[in-house]
Amino acid sequence: MEKNRFLLSGSGGQGVITMGILLAETAVIQEGAHAIQSQSYGPEARGGATRCDVIVADAEIYFPKVLQPNVLVCLTQEAQHRYLQYLRPGGLLITDCDLVKTDKRVDAEHIALPMHNAIVEKLGRAQALNICVLGALLELTKVVKPASLEKTLASRFAAAHHENNKIALRLGMDLAKSCAA
């Protein structure tokens, strides 16, 4: 496995930090990889800028900050404006086309998926948007196996959320598959 550098971004309340924690924990506990996760967010409880860095590798990681991600996820326009400049040339930009409009040409593969609207349509609200985004991320990068993430989700969330998390994960994977086809 090559070193994967993820910068996950959005706003408070979207579950960006939870998404990073789940990804790093799955890589380490379920798949035996090396991973590190760090986060920063604005002082607002909801709506402030949120950033989560995750590095997954098969060797030791010596620096915890992602300076030049090879995968950038932006769930708000502000996040894209702030972090797009750091994306490694030839990297992967994942946005939600319901929440972010990309008007700049980027030297990266850009995948824009209707995750927000799809999750609201499927579950009636956007609470599991971050799990849907993780599904798309896994499908596009293969960084961890979906079954491994499902185990982490089952251990981290109350049983009442298990079915919706599975639905959201599969929805994200299906959206990513449909754009790749």
Side-chain angles (χ1 to χ4, degrees), residues 81-96:
H81 178 72
R82 184 178 288 187
Y83 300 119
L84 185 57
Q85 63 187 324
Y86 301 115
L87 181 60
R88 179 181 297 272
L92 174 62
L93 171 64
I94 302 171
T95 60
D96 188 314

Side-chain angles (χ1 to χ4, degrees), residues 63-159:
F63 186 71
K65 190 91 169 144
V66 173
L67 301 176
Q68 197 174 29
N70 54 330
V71 179
L72 173 63
V73 174
C74 297
L75 297 181
T76 64
Q77 200 70 46
E78 178 189 352
Q80 179 181 269
H81 178 72
R82 184 178 288 187
Y83 300 119
L84 185 57
Q85 63 187 324
Y86 301 115
L87 181 60
R88 179 181 297 272
L92 174 62
L93 171 64
I94 302 171
T95 60
D96 188 314
C97 61
D98 301 322
L99 306 173
V100 179
K101 302 300 176 215
T102 302
D103 56 1
K104 293 171 68 173
R105 193 171 166 171
V106 295
D107 183 14
E109 180 180 4
H110 180 204
I111 306 291
L113 302 170
M115 296 176 281
H116 182 269
N117 285 351
I119 201 74
V120 170
E121 185 177 304
K122 193 80 161 179
L123 298 178
R125 57 187 183 173
Q127 187 175 10
L129 173 63
N130 60 339
I131 307 303
C132 182
V133 174
L134 271 175
L137 187 67
L138 297 190
E139 182 62 35
L140 295 167
T141 67
K142 310 294 189 209
V143 65
V144 295
K145 296 178 196 81
S148 297
L149 181 60
E150 285 181 10
K151 288 179 186 175
T152 301
L153 291 170
S155 71
R156 281 294 208 135
F157 291 92

Side-chain angles (χ1 to χ4, degrees), residues 38-55:
S38 60
Q39 61 203 33
S40 65
Y41 44 88
E44 306 89 348
R46 291 200 177 273
T50 302
R51 171 186 174 149
C52 185
D53 295 356
V54 179
I55 302 172

